Amino acid sequence: MLISGHANAAGPFMSCLYICNVNIVWAGLVQGVQRYIFYFNFLISNINRYNALHWGEIIKNFPDNYKLAALIAKDCYYLIFFRDPISVFASCFGYDLYKVKNDCVVLPITDNFNLGGYIFNKKNIFSTNIDCIFNNVLPNCFCQKDILDYFLRKLKTIIIDSDTTSKLNAFSTITKLSKILNFDSPRLEDRFFFESKLSPFSSPIWQRLPLRIQFKEFNIEIEFGSGWTNTKELSSNIFKKVFYLDGIVFNISIINKINQDLNQSEISYMENLFNNFLEDMELKIKNIKKDKIMEEDVLNLLRTNLNYRNRLNNIIKNNLSYIRQHHPDIVASWKYYQEFEKMCEELDS
């Protein structure tokens, strides 16, 4: 069982597990009986695989969640995922983008493709009301303790700091976990995936997928790849390479074409088009990310806003009680949170 909040970098971690043939998916926002039904159907439909459950959303004091927690196997490992809270808070600002979406993009792609931009950005962070982030986003980002409170028994836990699953450390961390939890160890040929930026949801392009591109006789559709290995197999049906940009591996499929077989001229034309498209998108993404709110930005905001500072501090303190008790060394290693604590002591003493 993996327990994490949103924006804690658990998504990339789950992708790493998937590459190692661990069957794990996001269960969504459902609670109680509906989450039990999801778990049950998920497990029985993959009964011969190595399965793991994920719980990353919460409704406090939801009665049926106590029953759900009691039904989950007592002897399994519980992986509790944490990240520097200020990094979590900063990530919350990056999920809302100006949504620009066309039903079908026509050629040339780059002239008809707009990525939009961040609603919350460096230019407006001090002038925008962010109550919506406190009210709607943060409860499911700092929810590890509330989820653990539903388990009225001692658990076999492994605490995971997101820094140990960064692109520099992911391969070695997953290798160590595979030996403890007895799933397939990562393959050396997949090391590229582990050393890449693994979360597509931190990319400005994610809200623009699926993307459909119109050709004269047919359309092609670009969607998220579910994993490096599977996507490689899918894409190789059309191309001899995998298309990859800013943490996203693309699945490419042909639609609205009676004859699915492409001649070499069509394949070469499409491959050249995608190469140009990715080069252009890489430049656009870099420009958009210049306005992305980072940890230093939210620290500056919190330094000048007592209301936000107090609210965030109370949320964090409640959620960190478990990891403070069992792994104070991890809390002490969080650079930005240490700066935040020092700020609170100096300004609010």
Side-chain angles (χ1 to χ4, degrees), residues 18 221-243 249-254 260 262 267 270:
Y18 183 87
E221 188 165 77
I222 305 171
E223 181 55 286
F224 287 118
S226 57
W228 177 256
T229 304
N230 287 350
T231 302
K232 187 174 183 179
E233 293 168 356
L234 285 168
S235 296
S236 64
N237 292 334
I238 304 173
F239 304 109
K240 296 185 181 297
K241 64 177 292 185
V242 176
F243 290 99
V249 181
F250 295 120
N251 279 344
I252 301 170
S253 57
I254 305 170
Q260 295 294 316
L262 297 175
I267 293 174
M270 291 169 59

Side-chain angles (χ1 to χ4, degrees), residues 99-121:
K99 295 182 180 180
V100 182
K101 195 169 183 72
N102 300 314
D103 291 333
C104 192
V105 178
V106 296
L107 298 178
I109 300 176
T110 52
D111 292 343
N112 295 277
F113 191 86
N114 189 341
L115 282 178
Y118 295 109
I119 294 176
F120 300 106
N121 54 65

Side-chain angles (χ1 to χ4, degrees), residues 1-2 17 21-25 39-54 76-77 181 183:
M1 164 69 79
L2 172 63
L17 293 177
N21 296 314
V22 175
N23 196 38
I24 183 169
V25 295
Y39 285 160
F40 180 82
N41 290 331
F42 170 75
L43 293 173
I44 63 171
S45 63
N46 299 280
I47 198 167
N48 294 319
R49 294 189 61 184
Y50 190 112
N51 294 308
L53 302 179
H54 172 252
C76 74
Y77 276 97
L181 303 176
F183 59 80

Side-chain angles (χ1 to χ4, degrees), residues 211-223 234-239 251-263 266-267 270 274:
L211 170 66
R212 186 173 295 183
I213 300 174
Q214 180 180 338
F215 287 81
K216 289 182 179 180
E217 298 178 357
F218 60 93
N219 296 335
I220 62 171
E221 188 165 77
I222 305 171
E223 181 55 286
L234 285 168
S235 296
S236 64
N237 292 334
I238 304 173
F239 304 109
N251 279 344
I252 301 170
S253 57
I254 305 170
I255 57 178
N256 300 337
K257 182 175 171 63
I258 297 176
N259 179 11
Q260 295 294 316
D261 295 327
L262 297 175
N263 61 46
E266 289 176 311
I267 293 174
M270 291 169 59
F274 278 118

Side-chain angles (χ1 to χ4, degrees), residues 5 41-42 46-47 55 60 73 75 91 99 118 128 141 149 165 180-181 234 244 250 264 280 285 287 290 310:
N41 290 331
F42 170 75
N46 299 280
I47 198 167
W55 198 341
K60 280 190 175 184
D75 59 347
S91 292
K99 295 182 180 180
Y118 295 109
T128 304
C141 293
D149 284 345
T165 61
I180 298 171
L181 303 176
L234 285 168
Y244 180 90
F250 295 120
Q264 189 56 48
D280 188 74
I285 288 171
N287 287 330
K290 291 177 182 177
N310 286 342

Side-chain angles (χ1 to χ4, degrees), residues 299-316:
L299 285 173
N300 288 333
L301 173 66
L302 295 168
R303 189 172 286 110
T304 61
N305 193 304
L306 176 62
N307 175 34
Y308 293 156
R309 188 166 67 246
N310 286 342
R311 290 166 72 181
L312 182 64
N313 198 21
N314 290 333
I315 292 171
I316 292 174

